[in-house]
Amino acid sequence: MNFFNKTGKMAIGSRLRILTDKITEDAAKIYELYDVQLQPKWFPVFHTLTHEENTITGIAQHIGHSHPSVSKIVAEMSKKGIVTERKDKNDGRKNIIVLSEKGLQMAEKMKKQNMDVNNAIEDILTSTQNNLWKAIEEWEFVLTQKSLLQRVKEQKKQRESKKVRIVNYTSKYKEAFKTLNEEWITTYFKMEAADYKALDNPEEYILNNGGCIFVALYDGDPVGVCALLKMDNTLYDYELAKMAVSPKAQGKNIGWLLGQAIIEKARSLGASNIYLESNTILKPAINLYHKLGFEKVAGLESPYERCNIQMELKIRQ
């Protein structure tokens, strides 16, 4: 196992596959030892049917397999005469899967086999420092909470987000501020008068009115922007607006980092709340705002046709 010592935990799938292959190979030989004509992959379905007849859907739900997988196994077992199908007495549209006479005889023959296998497994467990059976249960539970894929995505996002720098806007980022916003707006909606007003004249419309703009740099390139606009009403102090992240840079936590920077800036300016407008078809954006602490409100009259949701964040100083 020197290979796995070198590769480390990233080869867990390959290592488990080798272990599974070894056990499956032995399982096939064990069935031969007891003269039981059963394939190892059939066992979950067979064992379920030894306790009660069921539909393919019911079996799939019980053993955690897909419906097509169980359907294929049932077809294979049916060809060997181990199971049969009949119509449900209460619902003629359903087919009930039951063990045939041959299947019942196999189940009886397997009682001694099951006893010996169980004792052999117990012997292995008592010979090891770590209880694999309990470990598998723990892994299954943990992975139902969050899959390995999700966890890897999070690690990737955290690693790549360390290369992101949030900087203050300067005139050299004017084109990027406009381009990044136009890119996402025209993907889902249309540019409106209020967009051109802010994107063509960010210094005059945002900065000179007490607001600010942050730019996210990835490897030195501007890939995300977000603005904090000073509001001139009594309900809200500032508005989070014009947040845009390049599709090429998504998945790097940039929206979160920009949002955090905007909130901290508003806090430093003594703001008690931040307002924003969006559209519910932008699900990733809405999820981000919720994660940042924003909540839905019945807000102000919007200058944007695309606005169908307004949100507020109350800031604790």
Side-chain angles (χ1 to χ4, degrees):
M1 293 298 175
N2 189 47
F3 169 75
F4 295 113
N5 292 332
K6 289 181 179 179
T7 58
K9 297 177 180 64
M10 67 178 180
I12 184 172
S14 298
R15 191 163 193 174
L16 288 174
R17 192 175 300 112
I18 290 174
L19 180 60
T20 301
D21 288 345
K22 285 182 178 179
I23 294 174
T24 302
E25 183 180 345
D26 275 352
K29 293 177 181 177
I30 290 169
Y31 285 122
E32 291 179 9
L33 181 64
Y34 290 84
D35 193 27
V36 173
Q37 297 175 359
L38 199 71
Q39 293 186 27
K41 68 176 182 178
W42 297 348
F43 178 75
V45 173
F46 182 84
H47 187 266
T48 299
L49 294 174
T50 60
H51 288 80
E52 62 176 352
E53 56 190 40
N54 212 327
T55 63
I56 289 178
T57 299
I59 296 170
Q61 292 174 345
H62 181 69
I63 66 177
H65 285 200
S66 68
H67 187 283
S69 173
V70 172
S71 180
K72 183 179 179 181
I73 289 173
V74 167
E76 291 173 354
M77 293 173 68
S78 180
K79 285 183 180 180
K80 295 295 183 179
I82 300 172
V83 299
T84 59
E85 296 185 37
R86 62 170 176 78
K87 293 293 183 182
D88 189 330
K89 295 178 181 178
N90 299 318
D91 187 346
R93 296 170 298 176
K94 291 182 179 180
N95 287 336
I96 303 297
I97 314 301
V98 299
L99 289 179
S100 65
E101 185 62 32
K102 179 180 178 180
L104 292 172
Q105 291 174 3
M106 289 175 63
E108 185 64 28
K109 188 184 293 186
M110 284 181 64
K111 287 182 178 179
K112 292 180 180 179
Q113 174 186 331
N114 292 341
M115 184 186 303
D116 293 344
V117 170
N118 187 70
N119 289 337
I121 298 299
E122 287 292 339
D123 182 56
I124 294 174
L125 293 176
T126 56
S127 301
T128 57
Q129 291 184 344
N130 301 299
N131 189 313
L132 179 61
W133 193 256
K134 290 182 181 287
I136 290 173
E137 288 182 348
E138 291 176 338
W139 270 71
E140 288 172 340
F141 174 77
V142 169
L143 290 177
T144 59
Q145 308 305 303
K146 187 187 296 182
S147 72
L148 177 59
L149 175 60
Q150 289 176 295
R151 294 168 191 271
V152 171
K153 284 182 177 179
E154 289 177 359
Q155 293 298 319
K156 181 175 183 288
K157 183 180 290 187
Q158 289 178 19
R159 174 176 53 79
E160 293 183 338
S161 67
K162 292 178 182 178
K163 298 172 67 177
V164 177
R165 286 197 307 124
I166 306 298
V167 300
N168 289 310
Y169 172 91
T170 63
S171 58
K172 71 177 180 179
Y173 298 123
K174 182 176 181 178
E175 187 61 32
F177 182 62
K178 181 176 182 179
T179 300
L180 288 168
N181 270 284
E182 280 187 333
E183 185 176 22
W184 84 260
I185 293 171
T186 55
T187 297
Y188 299 97
F189 310 102
K190 65 178 181 180
M191 292 285 289
E192 301 181 43
D195 292 314
Y196 290 111
K197 186 176 181 181
L199 298 178
D200 289 337
N201 305 286
E203 290 91 348
E204 178 184 347
Y205 183 73
I206 300 173
L207 302 182
N208 295 345
N209 286 327
C212 70
I213 300 171
F214 286 116
V215 180
L217 303 179
Y218 186 75
D219 285 338
D221 296 325
V223 294
V225 290
C226 190
L228 185 68
L229 280 66
K230 186 75 173 70
M231 299 190 73
D232 56 1
N233 64 71
T234 58
L235 288 178
Y236 303 107
D237 299 323
Y238 289 90
E239 178 183 358
L240 184 157
K242 296 296 176 278
M243 178 183 280
V245 177
S246 170
K248 298 177 182 178
Q250 289 177 356
K252 294 176 173 54
N253 238 17
I254 292 173
W256 169 260
L257 294 172
L258 283 168
Q260 289 278 53
I262 287 291
I263 292 169
E264 286 306 311
K265 181 65 175 179
R267 182 178 284 111
S268 72
L269 294 172
S272 59
N273 56 43
I274 304 176
Y275 172 82
L276 68 80
E277 298 181 336
S278 189
N279 189 290
T280 50
I281 70 168
L282 305 172
K283 292 183 180 179
I286 301 300
N287 289 337
L288 170 64
Y289 299 143
H290 279 299
K291 187 177 177 182
L292 287 167
F294 284 85
E295 295 182 354
K296 186 179 182 301
V297 294
L300 310 171
E301 182 178 350
S302 174
Y304 296 101
E305 292 181 16
R306 62 178 178 264
C307 172
N308 71 354
I309 184 172
Q310 297 163 318
M311 305 179 78
E312 175 193 17
L313 171 68
K314 294 181 179 178
I315 300 177
R316 295 180 181 178
Q317 296 293 339

